Amino acid sequence: MIRLKREIEVFDYAGEILKALPKGILLTTEAEDCINAMTIGWGTLGIEWGVPIFAAYIREGRFTNDLLQRTGDFTVCIPFGEKYAKAATKAIGICGSRSGRDADKLAQAGVTLVDADIVRPPAIKELPLTLECRTVFTQTQPIKNISDKFSKFYPQGVDSSNTGANEDPHVAYYGEILKAYIIEE
């Protein structure tokens, strides 16, 4: 089966991307032949330094953070259309509740990996709206600088192994969007 990628202007789809984000999208990484995806619900889309940027926020203790520190490349895979809605929901659930250190989440989700064009981490057919990104800036968010309003996201005494809120700060990864497309068949 030939997979076609229809290249898009990312900001023409900004509404769809931002609407999907709080429901969960996948961020995929790859290093040393280990492919991992995690569900993210926080991110931003914009322009910095004159280039399109997707910023993702990954806790320090996450396996995804380890992989991103090694390579800096990632894909953002977003549900789009109804064709794969059920498969996308399943993948988002699995990738948001387990660690890639302990399991091959993508195999458990039964998704189809598609080679990216520029970066190493693959795209995912079932989440076809894809952004290929290369990290251009990172910064750890100091918990002491975060408003008390959001302290519930950083409960002290809850270690990194907790897949939900824990004591780890987030690392902001600003990825230059090198290519954006929708996977079509």
Side-chain angles (χ1 to χ4, degrees):
M1 181 180 310
I2 297 174
R3 304 225 192 294
L4 302 174
K5 297 174 187 169
R6 178 171 48 92
E7 200 161 345
I8 60 169
E9 168 52 53
V10 69
F11 294 108
D12 290 346
Y13 291 82
E16 287 89 347
I17 294 167
L18 295 175
K19 184 177 178 184
L21 190 58
K23 297 174 188 173
I25 63 177
L26 295 183
L27 184 139
T28 305
T29 56
E30 181 177 0
E32 292 88 42
D33 298 322
C34 176
I35 300 170
N36 185 60
M38 80 175 281
T39 301
I40 61 172
W42 299 358
T44 59
L45 182 65
I47 296 177
E48 293 201 31
W49 306 289
V51 298
I53 296 285
F54 185 88
Y57 307 95
I58 312 297
R59 287 192 189 269
E60 278 185 326
R62 299 288 191 245
F63 184 54
T64 297
N65 184 53
D66 294 343
L67 296 178
L68 270 171
Q69 286 181 0
R70 291 185 226 163
T71 67
D73 287 353
F74 60 95
T75 55
V76 179
C77 305
I78 302 138
F80 185 77
E82 293 301 316
K83 185 174 183 178
Y84 298 113
K86 187 174 180 179
T89 300
K90 177 183 176 186
I92 289 165
I94 289 171
C95 293
S97 62
R98 298 176 177 107
S99 172
R101 283 187 183 98
D102 307 321
D104 183 344
K105 298 184 286 186
L106 293 168
Q108 290 177 5
V111 295
T112 309
L113 302 180
V114 177
D115 287 339
D117 292 339
I118 298 173
V119 298
R120 186 171 169 183
I124 299 172
K125 178 182 90 171
E126 292 80 6
L127 292 93
L129 202 164
T130 304
L131 312 178
E132 294 189 20
C133 302
R134 178 158 293 138
T135 301
V136 293
F137 177 75
T138 62
Q139 183 171 17
T140 301
Q141 299 177 323
I143 292 175
K144 68 180 178 64
N145 294 350
I146 297 173
S147 167
D148 288 342
K149 177 180 179 180
F150 302 112
S151 63
K152 66 183 177 185
F153 295 108
Y154 305 95
Q156 299 308 291
V158 179
D159 70 28
S160 301
S161 63
N162 187 39
T163 57
N166 66 53
E167 63 190 7
D168 286 352
H170 284 85
V171 178
Y173 284 91
Y174 288 68
E176 178 180 357
I177 300 169
L178 303 172
K179 191 166 191 177
Y181 50 85
I182 297 172
I183 299 169
E184 299 178 329
E185 294 183 270

